[in-house]
Amino acid sequence: MTDQQKTELLKRYKNGEIDEAEALKALKDAAFSDLGFAKIDLDRESRGGFPEVVYCEGKTAEQSLEIIRVLWERSEGNVLATRCSEETAAVVRAVLPEAEYLPLPRLLTLRRRPSEQRGHIAVITAGTSDLPVAEEAAVTAEIMGNRVTRIYDAGVAGIHRLLAHEEELTSANVLIVVAGMDGALPSVVGGLIKKPLIAVPTDVGYGASFHGLAALLAMLNSCSAGVTVVNINNGFGAAVAAGRVNELAAKEK
Amino acid sequence: MTDQQKTELLKRYKNGEIDEAEALKALKDAAFSDLGFAKIDLDRESRGGFPEVVYCEGKTAEQSLEIIRVLWERSEGNVLATRCSEETAAVVRAVLPEAEYLPLPRLLTLRRRPSEQRGHIAVITAGTSDLPVAEEAAVTAEIMGNRVTRIYDAGVAGIHRLLAHEEELTSANVLIVVAGMDGALPSVVGGLIKKPLIAVPTDVGYGASFHGLAALLAMLNSCSAGVTVVNINNGFGAAVAAGRVNELAAKEK
Amino acid sequence: MTDQQKTELLKRYKNGEIDEAEALKALKDAAFSDLGFAKIDLDRESRGGFPEVVYCEGKTAEQSLEIIRVLWERSEGNVLATRCSEETAAVVRAVLPEAEYLPLPRLLTLRRRPSEQRGHIAVITAGTSDLPVAEEAAVTAEIMGNRVTRIYDAGVAGIHRLLAHEEELTSANVLIVVAGMDGALPSVVGGLIKKPLIAVPTDVGYGASFHGLAALLAMLNSCSAGVTVVNINNGFGAAVAAGRVNELAAKEK
Amino acid sequence: MTDQQKTELLKRYKNGEIDEAEALKALKDAAFSDLGFAKIDLDRESRGGFPEVVYCEGKTAEQSLEIIRVLWERSEGNVLATRCSEETAAVVRAVLPEAEYLPLPRLLTLRRRPSEQRGHIAVITAGTSDLPVAEEAAVTAEIMGNRVTRIYDAGVAGIHRLLAHEEELTSANVLIVVAGMDGALPSVVGGLIKKPLIAVPTDVGYGASFHGLAALLAMLNSCSAGVTVVNINNGFGAAVAAGRVNELAAKEK
Amino acid sequence: MTDQQKTELLKRYKNGEIDEAEALKALKDAAFSDLGFAKIDLDRESRGGFPEVVYCEGKTAEQSLEIIRVLWERSEGNVLATRCSEETAAVVRAVLPEAEYLPLPRLLTLRRRPSEQRGHIAVITAGTSDLPVAEEAAVTAEIMGNRVTRIYDAGVAGIHRLLAHEEELTSANVLIVVAGMDGALPSVVGGLIKKPLIAVPTDVGYGASFHGLAALLAMLNSCSAGVTVVNINNGFGAAVAAGRVNELAAKEK
Amino acid sequence: MTDQQKTELLKRYKNGEIDEAEALKALKDAAFSDLGFAKIDLDRESRGGFPEVVYCEGKTAEQSLEIIRVLWERSEGNVLATRCSEETAAVVRAVLPEAEYLPLPRLLTLRRRPSEQRGHIAVITAGTSDLPVAEEAAVTAEIMGNRVTRIYDAGVAGIHRLLAHEEELTSANVLIVVAGMDGALPSVVGGLIKKPLIAVPTDVGYGASFHGLAALLAMLNSCSAGVTVVNINNGFGAAVAAGRVNELAAKEK
Amino acid sequence: MTDQQKTELLKRYKNGEIDEAEALKALKDAAFSDLGFAKIDLDRESRGGFPEVVYCEGKTAEQSLEIIRVLWERSEGNVLATRCSEETAAVVRAVLPEAEYLPLPRLLTLRRRPSEQRGHIAVITAGTSDLPVAEEAAVTAEIMGNRVTRIYDAGVAGIHRLLAHEEELTSANVLIVVAGMDGALPSVVGGLIKKPLIAVPTDVGYGASFHGLAALLAMLNSCSAGVTVVNINNGFGAAVAAGRVNELAAKEK
Amino acid sequence: MTDQQKTELLKRYKNGEIDEAEALKALKDAAFSDLGFAKIDLDRESRGGFPEVVYCEGKTAEQSLEIIRVLWERSEGNVLATRCSEETAAVVRAVLPEAEYLPLPRLLTLRRRPSEQRGHIAVITAGTSDLPVAEEAAVTAEIMGNRVTRIYDAGVAGIHRLLAHEEELTSANVLIVVAGMDGALPSVVGGLIKKPLIAVPTDVGYGASFHGLAALLAMLNSCSAGVTVVNINNGFGAAVAAGRVNELAAKEK
């Protein structure tokens, strides 16, 4: 339901064409589709700039398919499914062959129209093992209309690898810095570049990394002021946050 | 040392006017003042937009005073000292009577010129007990040149108090949401307003809040995508991060 | 052994018809059946309102079968087995084909008589991934004689989905609110509806959700007073607690 | 603002007597009083059955006083302040001499009318050291209109002390069981009495009690199904939850 | 090497029959057999009352076999292998067919002579799921020469099941109490019976049991003084400790 | 009430001399004295070998005094109060001047008759800083009738200091080993001496000792089988447990 | 790029033979090879004494192969791959048949020239289950040019097994002590031998070892001053650290 | 007792001049002085290169004094007391006025002879607040005979401050790197300088630094191989470890 349709509806209610119960029901039906196990938000795009994203973990393949299908059929934008296993992807693609699947970041996408190409977000990783999380961030950012630069495997143990990319770093609007183990990279990047910086801890490491806790705590305690942090392995969340900053920059022009 | 001065210096080195050792020493002296117990970054303002901030916790009052004094005398901007106890503030103000002290957020400021009035950052708290952290964020943001709107005591247990401020929320460039206990407020605000949102957990609460851990974890796991998080009670860090976003928006214009 | 039978027994002991040893043995035999690896409580229904529930996790399929079989043969009520794997269910159903198995909440039931239809408990989830836990709660509540209303996928990131169900929420005697990730839903529901509210954290989420710890802590620190909490994923426990409240309401009439 | 007043207001808006802006402002003003540092909820009693409670921890004495004063002057019910230090109590009583202070549970009360005397809640403690928390629960329950029975120092190490009170336990509508150390008491009470039972862990104990964590975890894992849990030392929260159950029982009559 | 043999050796050294190097080598060879990956303690029985026990976890099946074989061939007592997988058991039994395997407690035994029948140790469990740990304790205690009474599934949620065994409990020299979940059973037993009591937490439970942490902490904080605790699931360790107490009682006679 | 008195009472009930209510009341009165804030166990000595011990932490000085006074007046044995602050001790000694106070272990004792001199318990510490806990154990053991040998400051960093006491170690019935920091001492002692060994972790250490957690975990994971553990700093609990073992040895003679 | 080549390049830049951009590009190309998913450090050997080590965990087999291949072809030294699964090893060896694979420590090596034979590092383990970690340390140390002595299964529960190796311990330059469970071995070894000692906690143990946390904390709190610690199971890191000490000793000669 | 004295003693025993008991006693008396509450290691210097260090925390001022006095009178070297409060220092200096006290690192020293001046250890801190720990390390290293270079306040947020000291860093034998908050400095230093590096986490920081846990975990997970770690704030331990490496380098010459 577009904003215009809603205004229309409210007028009809004020004029007495429809009563309160009818008005409420119309608004409710338009707002989401209730599948019983899920309430699909059909109104999201107007509010958030992109369609509801499907988080597949913890859902059966059939539940994921059903939600994706309704979103694809009843919205007009693109669809993104995250944490999507190969099994679920196969079930979805049997019904919706236009879906694309990326196994490394475990993302499934359905694209109806090309994404915008706003600003420029840099995604940096400390190591190669951080790629699945970094790609979740990069692909999510792209489908939401952002231009993305990837700088991978540039950890602090060989800091010259990072310094070689200074130009790309300074030209970005936002930086997403992905690191496991000691989580030290955001502090170093944040000390060099004064841009909004979103740190993503990964569960790369072993022993006392405690599945990413070490990197998470290090990033929360970064000695470089201005670093903000998302959940362990949450490349998706970092991309959404970065996208909002990038969008804001574009809007202000 | 301004960027121009540095270019000058490099030219003189290339022309052979000064040798390598002289060039390096000149650069080093300009970059920071070494007090033995501290290396004061005199170059920070050109790089980061404001002078080095003094973090007083863990420093003796004399160390804090000395660092503040050097910054105030050798830089040209404003000076901010955080986590400053009343004792330290008294020691500083005996020598630098122009310093102002705010006991609630434990901030000490020295202002030489009025701050800019960029954009608009909203600082929201769940309860009254979150004020010290919120004020640390608000005052820091102001001294760094941002306009700030305060919306205090608007927690989710009485959600109508939040909804009454929707207009101020939607007009802000960035939101700083400060909450202790269950840390639920950023999820609710983030579900309503699609702007960059920085969540600040506080140690308000008791028992199983574990000094803010409960709020921190809740915020890292926010079901509203795009929320980013800083350390417990870190109002200062949230303000720096929000300021960078706000500055970016202004620059892009 | 019914209360009447026990009174009878005690009279016979006082009258000298049986001696102390005989009386004690009779009481003991009636109270539970000792299988060596398990002492089955045959007396539970009179005390707790429903037969002993079998918790299958950590038991071999054979142990579970044996306990279920004795309960089914020697009690007069319904039987419920929780955390029952598909393998155990198959072993049980080979012997007791009247058993029904629900794979999502991993429950196995044997029903001899229809359950009562007391009052009305609402089970609410934040997301679709919380369904297994919610269904464990809902089915358990139903077999124990409660009427249940399900409101699924109504998390705080899209709070309008929750508000659409206000009527069902206010008419319930008790609310069971199931949520993972940030565990924020009980705070929001508890701020709107002043009814006994039992919060169930789930392990839905990743990274710093630490298998439900984040949601658990958030719920324990809920800023909505009056929220009580059960163990992570403990839909069964929430249903028992809610049932007791519902039963109390009925009794008081 | 009573419900009737609100209906009135809405009618005037529909009739065009007042416009949308006026209606919204009237509703907002009636709902809470904004002191800047706090938004006092004047509408709470109609929704929750008792006036807003003031949580004093983390507030200055002056902030607490101001909130209490507004509540006392602008509402018609009783006022309760929790976690109130002796210092804050002295500041409040200098201005509002009718306030009463209880140092053990650190509660301050202002009573305008006698509380109801609904049903019957039993508060049980494992030891004497649990009394401050138990009294917070008991006094809170009383001021909210519940009759309370206290059974103190009845821990499982001397279980005969508990059994001596069986009658009082079985006649209660709800049980609040307060225990530190091993947190075992709710499991034992819950095995004997099939009533709604709210367990309150306390930080009594030392070493590996980790300030109540041991008791909290034990209670969340209670082998007696149907136990629900509140935060460590949260006697207030337990009383609110118990009061809702008790109220429900009364209403259903 | 017996104590007598050692005395002999030392005499020969004093008399100058052998030099220091020879003496040391003889003692060293007698003390343990060095397989490179393991030093097998052939001297253990004289010091500890039973042969070295083989802990199989983390060893390859071949390593376990080799150690068991040397112990069996070069010592004169019984051999016990703990945490022995079915795979390792099969490898061992292919070479040493006299080995017996118990899959529930995952123990493998080689018995050359009947064990003593000292005193009497009671092993009590809270539930059926605790049996693997309880059997590890019971079988270990038996092979080390103790008489064992098993009382299984006697948890505090149905305390009458425990009270029915009071006689067996009071006649034991030592009690081993095995419980998961809330770990409350040792507190209740310890309140009734004043005997040495060793509590064994198990990882039975889910969610906030954190793999036995809840039970472990509860037991360490037992309100029944005199309870001592071993590691989670450590039935073996509890049996060794109980055996020492039992042995002491026997020796003192 | 002695066991004989109880038998008497039961006979009178059977004979009809007293009715059920009278019998129950007599038993209850004899069992404990109810002060409201505390139920004092007057029967404990017959059941547990010594009067109820008063744990002063978390009690007001007045509560502690009252409990100690009742125990001293109504029981016939010695009285022990643990975790007793200097303030509480002063309050008690003002009323009961025969009380003795030991500031290091914070124990207060009232002795009416000399303690027995059973067996022999060795208390060993790793360092001098562990003395308060060790003395709590030693004095408690002595007042409960055990002979105690103290071996202090014999940690593993200088293992020859321990070996110099081998004789005293091997002649003891039970060993209490007190250590903070790495908690390694029980493993070393347990490897040398095959006696019941109770390990007491202390909070001695800093940083990652986490107030004794490091030592606690090390002791629970001791590679010397047969070590059992009590709570951090719980010298009292270790003494009770050791006393039971020592008593058992004596009884068996 | 050798240091000489770099000096050459800088001269050509000063002489004006190449401009700044060319100089920078040449330096960058020489420093690392950028595969997109990884930046391979070809310059490492000159800086660190051995080629970049490939950490295979979290990389696909194809990524690992590609990195190993480039290193092998473009450097002149040996190559070491750690945490290498059997699957990855098979993929690598299909292309590079000269690679050797060691399944126990999961290491893959490619040797072009014999390693040096510097000094002497002793690797000691508490038990046989610690071997995989110990071998990771030992083989790493050997390929980096150190002589290694292995002393395995010498834990504190049978301390005579350790004392039998005193000579080898005192002659080593550095000690690597590997232990799980209680992590007590480094304290005992460090008390006997005053050499640099690197402690490696392993995840050997169960229950409250919490995957090596117990051993890690014990080692960090070692009562033997001078013990330093690496991450849980980090045999590789211990070897690198020990190698640096050994190298330093050699260089100083 | 010197090594020569011990050889003498053993000869007299072999010759029969003294019997076994006399020999053992002589050795024991020489090894340590037993004060009851402490066993002072008089033999330590010959074994460890410096006299026993007194750790004052947890000891009364009188205990500390007594131990320091005996060490000073009966050994021939210097004496060091760590974690010494101002109160204890005053008590010691009243009796031993030659003692010097350093309040920042809380060290007390008694020097009889000048320390050696071996090699060169660099102590680096991230910030000014880390100075107390760094000075504990530096002064300890000096009194044990090492030359020390201090580089303070050189954290990664302003990495040019570190790079300005490259020369001093590369010329050191060992590096001690002290940092709180994110603990990132050792990773950066370790990436630049290939020398033995000992990382010391400090409790500088707040919120989710959890008293140094964040820095500790980051350092244990350092992406720069070869970093080893000591306990939080353990400057003393780092100095001892670094001193052993430095000594080894010197000895090998």
Side-chain angles (χ1 to χ4, degrees), chain A residues 156-157 159, chain G residues 47, chain H residues 162-163 166 170 187-194 224:
Chain A
V156 301
I159 211 166
Chain G
R47 280 183 293 128
Chain H
L162 177 69
L163 300 177
E166 201 173 353
T170 47
S187 291
V188 173
V189 175
L192 295 171
I193 313 288
K194 302 297 167 188
S224 292

Side-chain angles (χ1 to χ4, degrees), chain H residues 33-72:
Chain H
S33 166
D34 199 331
L35 304 179
F37 59 84
K39 299 185 201 313
I40 303 175
D41 218 328
L42 300 166
D43 215 27
R44 182 72 61 96
E45 195 164 8
S46 70
R47 280 183 291 126
F50 53 90
E52 183 163 16
V53 174
V54 187
Y55 174 70
C56 297
E57 209 149 282
K59 299 194 175 74
T60 65
E62 288 67 32
Q63 291 173 336
S64 294
L65 166 62
E66 192 62 11
I67 298 171
I68 291 167
R69 207 181 48 72
V70 170
L71 278 172
W72 184 236

Side-chain angles (χ1 to χ4, degrees), chain D residues 32 57 116 119 147 153 201:
Chain D
F32 55 84
E57 209 149 282
E116 272 182 84
R147 198 151 44 76
D153 193 25

Side-chain angles (χ1 to χ4, degrees), chain H residues 67-197:
Chain H
I67 298 171
I68 291 167
R69 207 181 48 72
V70 170
L71 278 172
W72 184 236
E73 288 169 4
R74 296 188 49 180
S75 79
E76 286 166 30
N78 299 328
V79 171
L80 176 68
T82 66
R83 308 276 152 152
C84 180
S85 67
E86 301 211 18
E87 292 69 35
T88 294
V91 169
V92 173
R93 294 183 63 190
V95 176
L96 300 167
E98 58 269 54
E100 267 182 294
Y101 183 62
L102 297 166
L104 195 73
R106 298 201 295 148
L107 295 173
L108 181 142
T109 58
L110 280 155
R111 295 180 199 238
R112 180 171 279 135
R113 57 184 191 200
S115 301
E116 272 182 84
Q117 286 290 325
R118 259 196 315 267
H120 153 55
I121 295 173
V123 179
I124 303 127
T125 76
T128 299
S129 307
D130 301 315
L131 250 76
V133 176
E135 279 297 302
E136 189 184 83
V139 176
T140 298
E142 285 171 342
I143 204 174
M144 290 178 181
N146 305 284
R147 196 151 46 76
V148 172
T149 305
R150 288 159 171 86
I151 305 173
Y152 288 170
D153 194 26
V156 301
I159 211 165
H160 57 297
R161 298 180 299 188
L162 177 69
L163 300 177
H165 289 276
E166 201 173 353
E167 203 173 333
E168 284 147 300
L169 292 170
T170 47
S171 70
N173 277 336
V174 204
L175 308 171
I176 294 174
V177 183
V178 182
M181 301 176 84
D182 56 14
L185 189 57
S187 291
V188 173
V189 175
L192 295 171
I193 313 288
K194 302 297 167 188
K195 287 286 173 63
L197 189 163

Side-chain angles (χ1 to χ4, degrees), chain F residues 156-157 159 181-182 184 187-188 191-192 206 208-210 213-214 217-218 220-224, chain G residues 156-157 159 181-182 184 187-188 191-192 206 208-210 213-214 217-218 220-224:
Chain F
V156 301
I159 211 164
M181 300 177 85
D182 56 14
S187 291
V188 173
L192 295 171
Y206 52 88
S209 91
F210 296 123
L213 178 63
L217 292 182
L220 286 167
N221 285 284
S222 176
C223 54
S224 293
Chain G
V156 303
I159 211 165
M181 300 177 84
D182 56 15
S187 290
V188 173
L192 296 171
Y206 52 88
S209 91
F210 296 123
L213 179 63
L217 292 181
L220 286 167
N221 287 282
S222 177
C223 54
S224 293

Side-chain angles (χ1 to χ4, degrees), chain C residues 11-23:
Chain C
K11 276 190 195 157
R12 291 176 60 203
Y13 164 62
K14 186 138 199 191
N15 300 342
E17 291 177 48
I18 55 173
D19 66 13
E20 194 181 307
E22 286 168 328

